[in-house]
Amino acid sequence: MNGKKKNQPGVEAVGYRAPCFGVNDDIIDLLKDLGLKYDSSALNYTNAPGSKTLSLNNFSDTFFYAAKQVCGFYPAAFYIVDKCAPFGVKYIKKVAPDGKKRFDVIRRNTMYEYIENFKKLGFGLFVHFGLYSLEGKGEWYLHLNSKADKEKYNKSVNRFFIKPNWAKNLVKTAKKAGCKYITLTTRHHDGFSLYDTKGLNDFDAPHSACGRDLIKEFVDACNEENIVPFFYHTLLDWHNPDYKDNFPKYIDYLIKSVEILCSNYGKIGGLWFDGMWEKPNEDWQEDRLYGTIRKYQPEAMIINNTGLNELGKTGHKEIDSVTFERGKPCPVDTSEKPIAGEMCQVLNDHWGYCKEDCNYKSVKELIENLIDCRKFGCNFLLNTGLKGDGMVNETDKCLLSELGKWVKVNKKFVYEARPTDFKTDDFDILTDGKQYYAVMKNVGMSADPNVAINENLRSVAMPFNIKNAKWLDDGKKIKVENGNSFIVTPYEYGRSYSARVAVITPIKSTSKNKKSLESHKNGQNRD
């Protein structure tokens, strides 16, 4: 409780999800207000007089399901606190003038609204940047390169000179590519931090040759251009000896580091952790770690990369998005709670800048990666490794710019379309809830046969009747045949984007058509 007098109007209770929580008369009243049957037999009693606790697992079967029937969504559990809930649905208890208690469900900060907002971002830029950028041999240089010398590497802080406009240049590149958010490595496995560690150690950017808090510059540049800043942070550490010698002490250091990031740079989009896979059997104290984030950043996405061997795995219950590193995305399991998916991909082979890596993906492949992500409702996080001065290398910038051309003419598909359950052979169907998007890959351009190879025209049949259709890239009307089919028109000579999106308005008049649309538009039957 917040100390207010009993009948004084105002906020007295809020919802908060926790592994275990106290149950008192206020909570019981709230359960009854939601139409729930209070089952005291499911409670575990503590030693504290008059106090009862209920485990989240036991509670979920009764409370979460029943509350969804009443509220329309899964709420958080409850905890009486004296400030805004750091996580989940807020239940605000107010005392009315007549002295009766009233409970209002505040949808503004529902448990999953921030996850839905993350999904709408669609496309982000992953950025690897640190001392390893000076070497130009990848982010694992210190650990995998036979010529790497740790003492010499650590002294490279003395030549870490960063261009003044690096952050603005980075954000400009991301915007041109069509990215809505940027996930930047605030600290990678080498232990060097781009932010001011506030005395935790001096192995950070403010104590390097550049003498600046680079994360502040990054966040400021993002905010100026309406780009959402995300923070990558390593979990493993090659620099801090406690990681090997005193793991509990290292966890304290890690959590203090995360607290600095969550409390000094304003609102952020989320934290992206990496490296737990190196010590899967250690006690990472995830409740403490994620609880620190919720305390300062209630709507931040919590993402923990599961690595190449555990693609799409959820892990801890607080995780808001599964990851598909360099892998094909697939449907995300949302049976326990709504959760997002994100596939991170590299432009060439290395995440960190590598001068001798020319194994680049084609723009066509990157477009198809983006399409594959969106058809499963996953975000696409495409990486660039900054050079030692903080600038984007020209090859990466060029590829991102070319990809941005496709994103620009297909932005409604990239940011607004959601998966459906329609099964098709050689194209994909998504929806924004009103219209449908048919996405075809390998679409060529029309040309004289002596100038370019003309591919055979192909026909697409939708599983419902079409009212009207047009191409998203140029707005030209599509001729509908037999009620539900159309020819995939090649791009007109002078442009060629490799993949094409048709915007389709269905006819809903027939009961058969309407039933088909309703059963597939939300993707609820996806395997």
Side-chain angles (χ1 to χ4, degrees), residues 11 25 59 76 86 122 128 162 217 219 222 224 253 279 326 333 381-382 404 409 416 430 447 451 453 456 493 497 525:
V11 175
D25 289 340
F59 200 55
H128 279 67
I162 308 305
E217 294 178 10
V219 172
C222 286
E224 287 176 10
Y253 165 76
K279 290 190 174 186
R326 300 185 194 232
D333 181 8
L381 185 63
L382 184 58
V409 297
E416 299 177 20
L430 293 85
V451 176
I453 298 175
N456 294 329
Y493 184 77
Y497 285 129
N525 296 318

Side-chain angles (χ1 to χ4, degrees), residues 123-296:
F123 180 28
L125 184 64
F126 208 178
V127 181
H128 279 67
F129 179 38
L131 288 185
Y132 47 84
S133 303
L134 293 170
E135 305 299 331
K137 295 183 180 295
E139 76 291 351
W140 275 64
Y141 165 79
L142 181 61
H143 204 68
L144 295 180
N145 193 294
S146 60
K147 296 181 180 180
D149 179 276
K150 187 172 182 178
E151 183 177 353
K152 182 179 179 181
Y153 181 87
N154 290 344
K155 289 181 179 179
S156 65
V157 295
N158 298 320
R159 54 188 180 91
F160 193 60
F161 295 99
I162 308 305
K163 299 259 187 185
N165 64 333
W166 76 276
K168 290 185 177 181
N169 178 75
L170 173 62
V171 171
K172 182 180 179 181
T173 300
K175 286 199 74 170
K176 193 171 183 179
C179 299
K180 294 288 188 180
Y181 65 104
I182 302 175
T183 302
L184 173 65
T185 52
T186 61
R187 179 191 296 163
H188 205 262
H189 308 328
D190 62 355
F192 179 73
S193 305
L194 298 184
Y195 58 96
D196 185 350
T197 56
K198 306 291 184 180
L200 291 179
N201 61 32
D202 59 3
F203 197 49
D204 59 17
H207 288 88
S208 72
C210 82
R212 310 187 323 257
D213 186 332
L214 299 180
I215 296 304
K216 182 181 186 306
E217 294 178 10
F218 164 67
V219 172
D220 288 347
C222 286
N223 291 338
E224 287 176 10
E225 296 294 337
N226 200 30
I227 295 291
V228 182
F230 280 70
F231 294 160
Y232 168 108
H233 200 283
T234 184
L235 295 177
L236 67 89
D237 196 309
W238 301 328
H239 183 78
N240 190 329
D242 290 331
Y243 179 73
K244 288 185 177 181
D245 303 333
N246 190 339
F247 198 70
K249 184 178 179 182
Y250 171 74
I251 292 298
D252 291 340
Y253 165 76
L254 173 65
I255 291 175
K256 288 177 182 177
S257 300
V258 170
E259 185 173 30
I260 290 170
L261 289 173
C262 289
S263 59
N264 284 278
Y265 301 99
K267 185 175 181 179
I268 61 174
L271 279 102
W272 206 100
F273 294 112
D274 186 28
M276 191 174 289
W277 33 261
E278 187 180 72
K279 290 190 174 186
N281 298 319
E282 285 284 0
D283 180 10
W284 287 91
Q285 300 185 42
E286 288 180 87
D287 288 343
R288 277 185 66 203
L289 178 62
Y290 303 147
T292 300
I293 299 171
R294 298 300 184 207
K295 179 180 179 181
Y296 296 100

Side-chain angles (χ1 to χ4, degrees), residues 27 52 85 98 104 116 130 216 253 298 500:
I27 297 301
K52 305 172 185 178
D98 58 6
D104 299 322
E116 292 303 314
K216 182 181 186 306
Y253 165 76
R500 203 158 197 197

Side-chain angles (χ1 to χ4, degrees), residues 349-409:
D349 277 343
H350 295 78
W351 296 100
Y353 174 60
C354 184
K355 292 180 286 189
E356 296 182 271
D357 184 351
C358 61
N359 192 23
Y360 278 92
K361 296 169 182 62
S362 68
V363 177
K364 179 179 182 293
E365 182 178 352
L366 297 174
I367 290 172
E368 292 177 354
N369 280 178
L370 176 54
I371 292 172
D372 289 343
C373 285
R374 299 313 284 158
K375 84 172 182 179
F376 290 120
C378 296
N379 287 14
F380 185 39
L381 185 63
L382 184 58
N383 181 79
T384 182
L386 300 187
K387 296 188 295 183
D389 59 0
M391 304 302 283
V392 182
N393 79 77
E394 291 304 316
T395 304
D396 289 17
K397 186 180 291 187
C398 179
L399 284 170
L400 290 167
S401 176
E402 292 302 305
L403 178 57
K405 293 177 181 178
W406 190 89
V407 173
K408 184 176 181 179
V409 297

